[in-house]
Amino acid sequence: MGKIIVCGNVKGGVGKSTLSCNLAVQASSSGKRVLLIDADPQGSSLSFRAVRALDDITAMAITSATLHRDLRNIATAYDLVFVDVGGRDGDVFRSAIMSCDLLLIPVLPSQYDIWAAEDTIRVLREARAFRDLTARFVLNQIVTNSIVAREALEAVAGFSGDATLMKSSLHQYMDFKKSISLGQGVGEFNADGKASREVAELYTELMSIIDPQVSEQPVVEQSADTMAETEVHHD
Ligand SMILES: Nc1ncnc2c1ncn2[C@@H]1O[C@H](COP(=O)(O)OP(=O)(O)OP(=O)(O)O)[C@@H](O)[C@H]1O
Ligand SMILES: [Mg+2]
């Protein structure tokens, strides 16, 4: 039975599709059998697969609230399943997280964007009435050469009872935009780029959470205080 990771946030434009596609590529290049489910009628992940030259990733659309039933059967043929779930339909989102091993919630690093995760957290809490579910926030599109505002980290910490923050995060790089339209992961587009390194780190951290026995190094959770003090330099 493959592990199922849902990239979901009720809020739009936070990087759900970008993360789903890049993590799928990262997993495939690590030798995993990968399924990419597009649960968003916008079809961004399916479009990514359509322009991808390699046939290493299977992609399919499931935009109905039967995901929790469908995925359990389909996932048996894969090692990892990534689900890109659009926010608008609460039923589909609820159905997706009822089946998953991990809910990854991309958020933009501003206090207001993180507060907007409240709706996502509400659905998560409803799902947890029925089953245990691991959930993590990941900061996406951090402006390069900047530090994440303390207010944003405090806003994330405000949800720590529901979902903690991944140590890995993604900065804003053109590689993400350019590679998607070519059907490539950032590592395929620019192997030496910082975006490539960050996706690899995020993938490794995710694997350490969902499959701890294969993880080489324990991941130390980062507190709001330590992150706020970490200055990040990127091109
Ligand atoms: N780390 C990043 N650096 C630069 N651009 C990014 C990054 N992450 C996402 N983007 C860009 O931000 C936009 C929104 O990203 P994406 O489509 O992945 O979000 P989404 O949450 O799937 O949106 P939607 O709710 O519309 O499905 C896209 O143009 C994408 O290329
Ligand atoms: Mg999308």
Side-chain angles (χ1 to χ4, degrees):
M1 176 75 193
K3 300 281 185 187
I4 301 171
I5 297 176
V6 169
C7 292
N9 187 335
V10 168
K11 190 168 190 305
V14 292
K16 301 179 289 286
S17 303
T18 303
L19 264 74
S20 302
C21 295
N22 273 284
L23 289 170
V25 170
Q26 190 69 32
S28 173
S29 67
S30 309
K32 305 283 190 193
R33 295 168 302 161
V34 180
L35 175 65
L36 179 59
I37 299 278
D38 201 328
D40 185 343
Q42 279 190 127
S44 307
S45 290
L46 276 193
S47 304
F48 170 81
R49 170 65 189 93
V51 292
R52 181 168 175 77
L54 294 176
D55 290 330
D56 57 334
I57 295 169
T58 306
M60 63 177 76
I62 304 178
T63 54
S64 67
T66 57
L67 261 171
H68 58 294
R69 284 186 269 140
D70 301 333
L71 279 180
R72 286 285 154 197
N73 293 327
I74 302 168
T76 54
Y78 298 90
D79 300 312
L80 280 169
V81 181
F82 293 94
V83 185
D84 172 9
V85 67
R88 287 150 292 279
D89 186 335
D91 287 345
V92 176
F93 184 48
R94 203 169 285 113
S95 176
I97 68 174
M98 284 306 286
S99 70
C100 76
D101 296 288
L102 178 90
L103 170 64
L104 184 63
I105 312 168
V107 284
L108 305 186
S110 86
Q111 188 179 23
Y112 295 112
D113 280 288
I114 294 160
W115 279 342
E118 179 74 46
D119 292 338
T120 304
I121 294 297
R122 194 172 306 120
V123 180
L124 171 63
R125 286 177 186 155
E126 285 170 25
R128 280 192 170 137
F130 299 96
R131 64 187 296 259
D132 274 346
L133 176 56
T134 304
R136 293 284 189 281
F137 285 108
V138 59
L139 294 173
N140 183 31
Q141 298 196 48
I142 300 170
V143 174
T144 53
N145 294 316
S146 73
I147 59 167
V148 176
R150 176 170 293 275
E151 292 74 19
L153 295 169
E154 285 171 357
V156 174
F159 289 120
S160 61
D162 302 289
T164 51
L165 181 62
M166 297 289 286
K167 182 184 175 197
S168 323
S169 55
L170 302 178
H171 288 76
Q172 208 169 54
Y173 297 119
M174 281 310 288
D175 281 3
F176 282 105
K177 289 187 187 297
K178 290 179 183 166
S179 56
I180 286 283
S181 54
L182 298 172
Q184 295 180 330
V186 284
E188 296 168 318
F189 179 75
N190 178 10
D192 299 326
K194 288 171 179 167
S196 169
R197 196 185 63 210
E198 288 182 356
V199 168
E201 284 172 4
L202 176 61
Y203 175 75
T204 302
E205 187 179 354
L206 281 174
M207 291 306 106
S208 76
I209 295 167
I210 62 167
D211 217 352
Q213 62 271 34
V214 298
S215 141
E216 283 158 25
Q217 290 188 342
V219 172
V220 181
E221 293 217 350
Q222 208 161 353
S223 70
D225 281 352
T226 55
M227 265 200 89
E229 284 155 12
T230 307
E231 195 165 351
V232 278
H233 296 282
H234 292 275
D235 51 22

